[in-house]
């Protein structure tokens, strides 16, 4: 069993770096605060006897030797960068749970067969630099180091420059680092576990997602003198599509998701009929065929709306991640550990992307979810219970031990 | 008959002051450019032999004496301030048409019984300072001089300071100025005349309007992990209300209007279910009972939506103008003048508010509309045909002569 109080204390100490008045954390990737956070965690790793490697995209691997160091390490990890109005647990929990596993193994003087590694990946959040999940994406070859280095923040600073500046541009070629198995603990970021009153979510898969930008172009005109029949109201046409996004998701329960999160209206004046509306569409499903069906239904609805209304409607897919089923052996390792420890549990498909989906391209991978208050994350009020975090960390310990063998 | 070329030349010269690269005009109320515009028009008025009075809110009255100066003047006017991306004709046409009437009377050496006045009212557009139609509103007692003086622009400058600064804070007490009858020529700002291929719009009335701010509050949550059934999506609920605004207007043809022009979504992020949406509602009708019915139907729909969805929905009325029927004698004067001159014509209810609705509280009033290209105004591409402007000005001449008598 791990030490829940020590885990909690580490989380609270790391959360001091970039702490916000509302109780959250703002520690954007590759800022001075990120460097302070990285230095703190690396220091803890060294104190726990681990050796540290940094790769060229700034991913950090902290290693505890095994009895047989020729075996690929059993790795756990996540990220320590946060959203601009982020919380204390998203990502940070996954990294410090890994550290707590190592501290516990040290306390108990347990030697594993395979080495154990705790990783943290660069710029998972994607708030300062796109694309999201940058470090793990480069590591698994989803996009190139050059692409990542060239990414700019709003001030024009690049990932390459900023990595250099904070001293985390390492030598190792990304991906040139074997992984035997990968586990990631994370707060659920959704309400399912809390709603069902369960402590551990076994994660069989991560949903695939498709992101789109939609632009409806009508004709801006004065709200008073323009008769209803002569209008080309871009907002009214947009509302039909926005409702259909949700209707499509509702046709594919339980894992269909449809969200319009971002809307911009032009000229956005009280007495002007909107001439143009831009909005985002986010479709998700755990089944790629169903996700594709949702995609097709949305395009068909937009075609129909275009011909019904005569307005110009453009739709562009801006991101796509296929669903990521986790490896049965890793899922079983999590399930077995949970059963052994006697925690209440259920399967929870991850609706959000995580570094684990990229790690899963290179090695068997699995995830462990714990509840977070009201399902809220990416918010300064993000919260989680110490006993849940402790439970998730215990499951991680036993799942890793099953793979690494004593 | 008036001189159409001279009218056009005056419009083009005034449009130089604040001219924008896209062919529009930016001459916000009480700026240096407004002062230049005012000075130019006042200079033209004096050259045409008129005496000039300025009142305490900066309304300018240019007077051509009649044979019997004890009679209240027959007045015409509009405004010369513009929207930030305004056109050459909105308001400016009404003022310069009045000037052209006086120039024509001078050419023809016609002496009217009653004096003739050409007015321009301060800050009709309301873009720099609210409320809109400020000068005419103070003039008719709709709100106080103190309220108007205290109005601030985004930089914190007040109407009182700015009037003083540009030298247009006059002595006359607003409203202490008799009016025998008031006419206003204006571009239609809508597509009705152009659609019906008519030259003159006789304006029987201006629609009443109700403006509202609506706020729907749900719960922001991550777009991936949050199942459809556990969402409180403020945008989806808002789209129902937005559609109902238009449905209500469509239930009251031909003069029902319903528009949502302004929308703000929080936090407005692609993968976050909107937690709060604010939007404006603009309802209009020429019949006050029907406008009230529309108001009641909207409140009832919001109540129903609130209880159907459990979300918090607030609705606040922020402006209300009752419909303004114009005086039968002024409407007839416009109709008679149009018939005499042989222009194609139809009745067009004004959907937009004008200074004439405040003037109508003090004296018989009427309006004359001419077509504008594609019905577009409040836009740099606003356009009108010289022959239409000329026709409207001829109608103004004859309508004013009917009231002022020769
Ligand atoms: N965990 C997380 O918020 N990932 C960002 C991408 C997504 O929206 O799933
Ligand atoms: N003429 C004009 O645009 N007035 C502003 C108020 C309105 O929307 O009717």
């Amino acid at each position: 069993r791990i030490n829940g109080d020590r885990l909690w204390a580490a989380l609270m100490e790391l959360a001091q770096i970039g702490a916000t008045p509302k109780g959250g954390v703002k520690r954007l990737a590759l800022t001075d605060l990120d460097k302070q956070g990285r230095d703190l965690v690396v220091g803890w790793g060294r104190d726990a006897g681990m050796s540290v490697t940094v790769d060229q995209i700034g991913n950090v691997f902290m290693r505890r030797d095994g009895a047989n160091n020729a075996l690929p390490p059993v790795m756990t990890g996540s990220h320590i960068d946060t959203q601009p109005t982020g919380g204390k647990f998203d990502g940070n929990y996954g990294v410090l749970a890994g550290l707590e596993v190592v501290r516990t193994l040290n306390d108990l003087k347990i030697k594993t067969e395979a080495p154990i590694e705790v990783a943290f990946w660069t710029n998972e959040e994607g708030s300062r630099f796109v694309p999201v999940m940058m470090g793990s994406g480069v590591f698994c070859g989803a996009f190139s180091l050059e692409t990542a280095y060239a990414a700019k923040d709003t001030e024009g600073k690049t990932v390459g420059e900023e990595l250099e500046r904070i001293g985390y541009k390492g030598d190792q070629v990304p991906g040139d680092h074997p992984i035997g198995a990968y586990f990631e603990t994370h707060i659920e970021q959704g309400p399912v576990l809390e709603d069902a009153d369960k402590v551990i979510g076994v994660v069989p898969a991560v949903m695939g997602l498709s992101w789109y930008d939609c632009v409806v172009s009508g004709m801006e005109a004065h709200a008073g003198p323009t008769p209803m029949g002569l209008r080309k109201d871009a907002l009214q046409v947009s509302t039909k599509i926005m409702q259909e996004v949700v209707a499509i998701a509702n046709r594919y329960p339980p894992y269909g998701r449809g969200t319009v999160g971002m809307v911009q209206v032009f000229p956005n004046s009280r007495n002007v009929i909107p001439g143009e509306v831009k909005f985002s569409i986010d479709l998700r499903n755990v089944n790629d065929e169903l996700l594709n069906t949702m995609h097709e239904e949305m395009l068909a609805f937009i075609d129909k709306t275009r011909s019904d209304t005569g307005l110009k409607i453009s739709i562009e897919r801006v991101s796509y991640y296929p669903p990521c089923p986790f490896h049965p052996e890793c899922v079983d390792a999590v399930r077995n550990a949970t059963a052994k420890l006697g925690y209440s549990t259920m399967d929870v498909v991850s609706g959000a992307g995580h570094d684990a989906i990229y790690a899963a391209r290179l090695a068997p991978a699995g995830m462990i979810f714990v509840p977070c208050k009201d399902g809220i994350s990416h918010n300064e009020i993000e919260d989680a219970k110490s006993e849940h975090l402790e439970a998730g960390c215990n499951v991680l310990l036993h799942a890793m031990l099953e793979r690494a063998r004593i």
Side-chain angles (χ1 to χ4, degrees), chain A:
Chain A
R1 298 259 171 167
I2 61 91
N3 180 337
D5 292 339
R6 183 168 57 189
L7 170 61
W8 183 261
L11 279 162
M12 293 307 114
E13 191 173 338
L14 182 53
Q16 295 298 310
I17 302 174
T20 64
K22 287 188 191 164
V25 180
K26 178 179 178 175
R27 199 181 329 115
L28 297 180
L30 311 186
T31 55
D32 289 347
L33 290 171
D34 188 20
K35 176 187 164 54
Q36 284 179 47
R38 286 166 172 259
D39 288 351
L40 181 65
V41 174
V42 165
W44 284 337
R46 291 197 205 277
D47 290 348
M50 290 191 274
S51 58
V52 176
T53 310
V54 182
D55 75 8
Q56 292 166 332
I57 189 63
N59 296 320
V60 175
F61 305 96
M62 306 193 294
R63 178 185 178 97
R64 181 177 192 268
D65 281 341
N68 180 356
N69 284 318
L71 289 173
V74 173
M75 186 184 286
T76 188
S78 194
H79 59 95
I80 63 165
D81 67 316
T82 77
Q83 291 277 328
T85 54
K88 305 182 189 77
F89 304 101
D90 180 355
N92 294 266
Y93 169 54
V95 177
L96 297 185
L99 178 73
E100 178 53 36
V101 164
V102 169
R103 286 171 166 176
T104 300
L105 295 177
N106 291 349
D107 290 348
L108 303 177
K109 301 199 169 53
I110 292 174
K111 190 89 186 167
T112 53
E113 271 289 303
I116 296 278
E117 289 199 8
V118 181
F120 51 91
W121 308 98
T122 295
N123 184 40
E124 190 272 350
E125 293 290 4
S127 312
R128 184 173 176 206
F129 300 104
V130 285
V132 290
M133 302 183 282
M134 181 179 277
S136 52
V138 171
F139 186 87
C140 83
F143 42 90
S144 73
L145 187 60
E146 289 64 42
T147 304
Y149 277 170
K152 282 185 180 149
D153 70 4
T154 52
E155 293 176 20
K157 292 180 184 156
T158 67
V159 165
E161 289 158 19
E162 288 293 276
L163 270 173
E164 193 107 49
R165 190 182 65 81
I166 70 165
Y168 275 89
K169 193 187 252 182
D171 293 328
Q172 193 171 56
V173 173
D176 197 4
H177 193 113
I179 306 178
Y182 180 86
F183 292 96
E184 184 166 348
T185 48
H186 209 281
I187 55 169
E188 181 200 336
Q189 302 188 280
V192 175
L193 284 171
E194 188 179 66
D195 209 57
D197 200 18
K198 305 289 185 192
V199 172
I200 297 294
V202 177
V203 185
V206 178
M207 293 184 192
L209 75 79
S210 267
W211 281 350
Y212 309 83
D213 285 343
C214 185
V215 182
V216 178
S217 306
M219 170 60 96
E220 66 192 71
H222 198 305
T226 313
M228 303 309 289
L230 295 177
R231 294 177 175 216
K232 292 179 182 166
D233 186 329
L235 179 62
Q236 290 295 320
V237 173
S238 297
T239 61
K240 290 190 220 291
I241 301 171
M242 292 170 181
Q243 291 179 349
E244 184 66 11
V245 167
V246 166
I248 289 171
N250 283 330
R251 286 201 287 275
Y252 297 97
Y255 295 120
R257 302 279 188 273
T259 307
V260 176
M262 189 159 56
V263 183
Q264 286 172 283
V265 174
F266 303 93
N268 215 32
S269 168
R270 187 184 284 284
N271 56 355
V272 181
I273 299 159
E276 188 174 284
V277 178
K278 284 189 190 196
F279 57 97
S280 63
I281 297 174
D282 174 321
L283 294 181
R284 305 191 188 210
N285 205 305
V286 75
N287 176 313
D288 204 29
E289 253 173 80
L290 292 184
L291 182 56
N292 193 48
T293 304
M294 292 168 70
H295 167 85
E296 295 295 345
E297 288 185 8
M298 196 189 57
L299 295 191
F301 186 84
I302 286 173
D303 282 345
K304 182 178 172 325
T305 307
R306 199 185 284 117
S307 64
D308 286 355
T309 64
L311 266 61
K312 189 165 161 268
I313 309 177
S314 74
I315 175 95
E316 189 195 350
R317 174 133 70 169
V318 294
S319 285
Y320 167 69
Y321 290 89
C324 170
F326 285 127
H327 197 283
E329 287 177 16
C330 286
V331 176
D332 282 347
V334 172
R335 209 185 297 287
N336 296 342
T338 306
K340 184 158 73 180
L341 293 157
Y343 296 124
S344 64
T345 181
M346 69 187 290
D347 281 13
V348 181
V349 166
S350 175
H354 293 287
D355 292 309
I357 70 170
Y358 282 139
R361 296 193 187 178
L362 302 175
M367 287 189 79
I368 301 156
F369 275 172
V370 297
C372 56
K373 188 162 183 302
D374 300 325
I376 291 173
S377 71
H378 289 191
N379 195 314
E380 290 165 83
I381 64 168
E382 179 187 284
D383 203 6
K385 289 193 176 149
S386 178
E387 64 261 37
H388 293 162
L389 299 168
E390 177 177 343
C393 188
N394 274 323
V395 172
L396 176 68
L397 169 69
H398 288 273
M400 289 183 82
L401 287 180
E402 179 181 319
R403 297 290 305 184
R405 292 197 309 280
I406 303 183

